[in-house]
Amino acid sequence: MSITAKHLLAPLLLVLAGLATAAPDAGNMESLRGKMSLDKDPAPSRIADPLKDQGIQDRVYIHQPPLVPHQVRGYEVDLKVNQCLSCHGWKNAAERNAPRVSPTHYENRDGLTLGDISPRRYFCLQCHVPQTGAEPLVDNVFTPVESLR
């Protein structure tokens, strides 16, 4: 057997062994789709409306992005416009009585401060989400660290 064949055979055997041990558990898994077949599309459920102007929400873990305490439906955030910055940008925040964007959002990945929002922080709704009264899809047993209680 050549060296190449030996190098390919060992990982293949490990994968097969892993599949053999995982197979018994596969029958017990259940997805959020329930028993619906993958070739069928469920009717989309409407996302719950955000809670109206709830004020600043407490954070439950260190570095958690703040939740958005107001409606953002219809906000324009694309390559040319970021409507969030019309209130939360450093220029307008005090006048609009809105929290300013964190200074960390003006840093590039090397820690250098930029003159404008960093491109990797420009699309706010990737991290900052509106607070809703929706019930969780799965049980959550998370508890915040003691210092945040």
Side-chain angles (χ1 to χ4, degrees), residues 82-105:
N82 182 326
Q83 195 170 347
C84 301
L85 295 176
S86 64
C87 290
H88 297 284
W90 278 62
K91 249 192 278 186
N92 302 325
E95 178 184 314
R96 303 278 174 103
N97 197 25
R100 283 189 178 135
V101 173
S102 166
T104 60
H105 288 49

Side-chain angles (χ1 to χ4, degrees), residues 16-65:
L16 291 174
L19 289 174
T21 58
D25 293 330
N28 297 328
M29 288 187 356
E30 188 175 319
S31 76
L32 294 176
R33 293 174 66 98
K35 301 213 182 274
M36 182 178 290
S37 173
L38 291 177
D39 63 348
K40 303 233 183 334
D41 248 351
S45 58
R46 188 173 189 292
I47 296 174
D49 285 328
L51 300 173
K52 304 289 186 218
D53 297 324
Q54 295 294 301
I56 305 290
Q57 303 290 317
D58 287 337
R59 300 184 203 188
V60 294
Y61 62 91
I62 307 260
H63 301 297
Q64 174 187 349

